[in-house]
Amino acid sequence: MPKITTDSGIEIKELYTSGDVETTDNSLPGEFPFTRGVQPTMYRGKLWTMRQYAGFSTAEESNKRYHYLLAQGVSGLSVAFDLPTQIGYDSDHALSEGEVGKVGVAIDSLEDMERLFAGIKLEDVSTSMTINATGFILLAFYTALAKKQGADLKKISGTIQNDILKEYAARGTYIYPPKQSMRIITDIFEWCATDLPKWNTISISGYHIREAGSTAVQEIAFTLSNGKAYVKAALEKGLNINVFGKRLSFFFNAHNNLFEEVAKFRAARKMWAKIMKDLGATDDKAMMLRFHTQTGGSTLTAQQPLNNICRVTIQTLAAVLGGTQSLHTNGYDEALSLPTEEAARIALRTQQIVAYESGVPETVDPFAGSYFVESLTTEVERAAWQLIEKIDAMGGSVLAIEEGFMQDEIAASAYQYQKDIETGDKISVGVNKFQVTETNTTPVFKIDDSIQKVQTDKLKSLKARRDNDKAMASLAKLTVAANGTENLMPIVIEAVENYCTLGEVADTLRNVFGEYR
């Protein structure tokens, strides 16, 4: 009989018994090492936050979608930004041509942020922003808007992704070299600790590592290794691990192999608790791995797109059974376009049906004690530690990325997966088996190219109305600070309050830090 393995190459036996469970983890949920969950009562006490990732076109259009989602029952907003915003170009830049508002919302200034959250009190929502290289600028916009609303900054909650290491390894929306990027990130840690204490300063992301083609084991190994690098950088800056450690969060992918995914989440919690303890954390809350999950975009197929509703349901169950703190479920049409309102609603309803009809949230860590899941958790953990030890031997994540180790490992896994699909060794329903002749009737959501002119006109108007002397003085101040060691966050906030644009702030630092190539 042929050997059966998970996507990570872990062999699956035909039958599991008590003899396959090496050690019994008798820890309770909410107790170190948090294998069984970070809260004693988990979803009996409070359901996971149901976020729906949304953002497209202009701030005004995205604002309408946010009000729609809030009315449908989401409990947190999750903002997608367009590519120019992600890499620090205003909408009128030549390199923004054809990309404005396409994969997310275009945000060029504080005025755009005001339009994006019109009618939404920032004190009343938790906002997650998927932004990395320019995360500090978007956080400055958000903070400036909260101040304009008269909000108490001590009550403002949310997350910026802010994970630049995975950009070098897997995704590509970086601007500055690693050393300067790490400085910006630790400045954010330091500033938020005193000024925005409820804000999650980083969402260390395995999601994009998995989307680039990694296995489940590589996803957690590379993500936790990157997490170690951020913690070490913060410690070198003299920050208190028991303070900033509580504001670290993670972002993982949920794929189709239900049991491997549950084991992955359980193993990741246990491993991070050990890593933080070894780095000097003594407060339990600084050792907890809290994470957001998104269902696997790369698992969605353009063929027979309604099948994706089934895939997203399995992935939702994996995330919830694995103990996620918040969840975004993908629309069934996302292999074809941005999700339509109908697809976004079905995705949200998938979470709500699991929450209110499945019975899954009614007990904590229901797979605990399963011979198979406990054994698989151990195997995933063991394989992930082996990878982390290799990275440590290279000098840590930054050096492993600079040497191309992570990129090569991910590329090899992606190649093998695609090869298995093409040979039929791996089945993708509707793609290489159970195919039908089909004509696509799924409605697609298109973004008009005229958005660039709309945004360009807004920028012209803003620059004509603002106090340009104040704006230029702010940028000059930022140049001086970037050449020194001063924390950049208060200066960037002052700049955006004087209506400096995202591109102007990013370019000011490009002139000092240079660009990574």
Side-chain angles (χ1 to χ4, degrees):
M1 193 172 173
K3 190 164 84 168
I4 295 173
T5 65
T6 69
D7 291 340
S8 299
I10 296 168
E11 186 173 357
I12 303 299
K13 295 166 65 172
E14 186 175 325
L15 178 69
Y16 285 79
T17 67
S18 59
D20 294 297
V21 181
E22 287 182 15
T23 53
T24 305
D25 183 350
N26 290 318
S27 64
L28 294 173
E31 290 182 2
F32 182 90
F34 312 107
T35 313
R36 300 198 61 195
V38 294
Q39 300 296 338
T41 58
M42 285 304 287
Y43 307 130
R44 283 175 72 112
K46 180 176 179 276
L47 286 173
W48 62 94
T49 301
M50 297 182 197
R51 296 187 189 279
Q52 285 306 108
Y53 186 46
F56 55 89
S57 183
T58 61
E60 292 88 344
E61 287 302 310
S62 292
N63 176 261
K64 287 177 194 169
R65 179 67 68 91
Y66 294 155
H67 281 284
Y68 170 79
L69 289 169
L70 288 165
Q72 294 299 314
V74 300
S75 42
L77 297 175
S78 187
V79 186
F81 298 97
D82 72 357
L83 279 174
T85 303
Q86 291 181 47
I87 52 178
Y89 294 123
D90 286 334
S91 297
D92 58 0
H93 195 285
L95 291 176
S96 300
E97 188 75 38
E99 290 294 345
V100 177
K102 288 291 175 73
V103 299
V105 63
I107 299 292
D108 294 317
S109 70
L110 176 55
E111 281 193 346
D112 281 334
M113 199 62 126
E114 290 164 4
R115 296 176 185 115
L116 186 66
F117 289 100
I120 298 169
K121 283 185 68 180
L122 300 192
E123 270 192 27
D124 295 344
V125 293
S126 164
T127 303
S128 171
M129 295 189 277
T130 302
I131 194 76
N132 297 285
T134 54
F136 66 107
I137 307 174
L138 272 299
L139 180 59
F141 285 150
Y142 198 83
T143 303
L145 176 58
K147 286 164 75 176
K148 284 191 83 168
Q149 288 186 355
D152 178 355
L153 294 188
K154 300 283 192 282
K155 293 179 181 171
I156 295 295
S157 66
T159 306
I160 41 171
Q161 192 164 102
N162 199 29
D163 174 6
I164 205 67
L165 292 178
K166 67 94 179 44
E167 295 296 328
Y168 302 120
R171 192 163 172 268
T173 65
Y174 44 74
I175 303 174
Y176 314 112
K179 185 181 175 188
Q180 287 78 7
S181 293
M182 295 295 271
R183 174 195 168 174
I184 292 169
I185 287 167
T186 54
D187 278 0
I188 292 167
F189 287 3
E190 182 179 53
W191 180 79
C192 286
T194 53
D195 290 71
L196 214 64
K198 285 183 75 178
W199 194 264
N200 296 320
T201 51
I202 195 166
S203 177
I204 305 158
S205 175
Y207 185 84
H208 305 98
I209 290 169
R210 192 68 177 278
E211 289 292 283
S214 82
T215 65
V217 164
Q218 289 168 337
E219 180 188 354
I220 61 166
F222 296 162
T223 305
L224 299 185
S225 188
N226 288 348
K228 267 175 86 172
Y230 294 124
V231 172
K232 286 182 173 180
L235 290 171
E236 282 165 21
K237 197 179 173 82
L239 302 184
N240 183 341
I241 193 169
N242 287 321
V243 176
F244 75 78
K246 293 175 190 174
R247 303 293 3 136
L248 306 178
S249 66
F250 288 79
F251 174 28
F252 289 119
N253 206 309
H255 261 233
N256 291 331
N257 189 320
L258 179 71
F259 298 107
E260 185 176 41
E261 294 300 292
V262 172
K264 175 188 81 178
F265 296 131
R266 298 174 89 246
R269 270 194 299 272
K270 187 177 180 185
M271 293 170 73
W272 184 245
K274 183 179 187 317
I275 287 167
M276 288 298 275
K277 191 170 189 177
D278 289 350
L279 288 170
T282 55
D283 188 319
D284 267 7
K285 286 188 175 171
M287 301 181 223
M288 285 180 183
L289 183 142
R290 296 166 302 117
F291 65 97
H292 170 70
T293 310
Q294 182 173 336
T295 56
S298 62
T299 69
L300 304 180
T301 64
Q303 298 91 333
Q304 302 177 36
L306 288 173
N307 292 348
N308 294 326
I309 297 172
C310 306
R311 293 185 177 102
V312 169
T313 303
I314 292 167
Q315 294 162 12
T316 300
L317 283 167
V320 173
L321 288 163
T324 194
Q325 275 57 71
S326 75
L327 178 61
H328 162 86
T329 32
N330 289 335
Y332 69 84
D333 54 359
E334 287 189 52
L336 300 164
S337 71
L338 290 171
T340 59
E341 272 197 6
E342 181 198 46
R345 185 175 64 249
I346 290 169
L348 176 60
R349 293 290 180 258
T350 302
Q351 293 200 49
Q352 290 165 334
I353 289 166
V354 169
Y356 298 106
E357 296 186 23
S358 73
V360 167
E362 288 166 13
T363 189
V364 183
D365 191 23
F367 274 151
S370 153
Y371 302 142
F372 178 38
V373 173
E374 293 290 3
S375 173
L376 195 51
T377 301
T378 301
E379 291 297 323
V380 167
E381 183 187 355
R382 181 183 289 125
W385 279 128
Q386 286 172 356
L387 272 176
I388 289 173
E389 283 160 13
K390 276 189 188 176
I391 293 165
D392 286 345
M394 292 177 195
S397 272
V398 176
L399 290 171
I401 288 165
E402 287 177 347
E403 288 177 24
F405 172 73
M406 288 190 194
Q407 298 92 312
D408 289 347
E409 290 282 309
I410 294 166
S413 296
Y415 173 73
Q416 187 60 51
Y417 186 90
Q418 185 59 31
K419 201 166 126 185
D420 289 346
I421 293 286
E422 289 175 12
T423 59
D425 289 342
K426 177 169 277 298
I427 302 302
S428 180
V429 173
V431 176
N432 64 357
K433 197 159 186 172
F434 313 114
Q435 294 138 301
V436 293
T437 304
E438 53 186 320
T439 50
N440 179 35
T441 56
T442 305
V444 293
F445 187 42
K446 293 280 187 201
I447 301 297
D448 200 291
D449 282 327
S450 65
I451 298 304
Q452 182 156 17
K453 184 173 185 319
V454 172
Q455 284 298 113
T456 299
D457 289 345
K458 285 181 188 170
L459 280 164
K460 277 184 189 163
S461 170
L462 171 69
K463 288 176 181 178
R465 287 179 286 107
R466 73 184 181 185
D467 184 328
N468 278 297
D469 289 338
K470 274 188 172 179
M472 292 308 110
S474 297
L475 296 174
K477 192 173 172 183
L478 182 58
T479 299
V480 172
N483 277 302
T485 57
E486 194 177 348
N487 191 303
L488 298 176
M489 277 307 296
I491 300 150
V492 175
I493 291 166
E494 183 185 318
V496 304
E497 287 178 327
N498 287 325
Y499 290 94
C500 293
T501 68
L502 173 124
E504 288 172 333
V505 172
D507 281 347
T508 299
L509 295 185
R510 273 188 182 95
N511 292 335
V512 179
F513 295 158
E515 288 188 273
Y516 181 72
R517 297 190 186 283

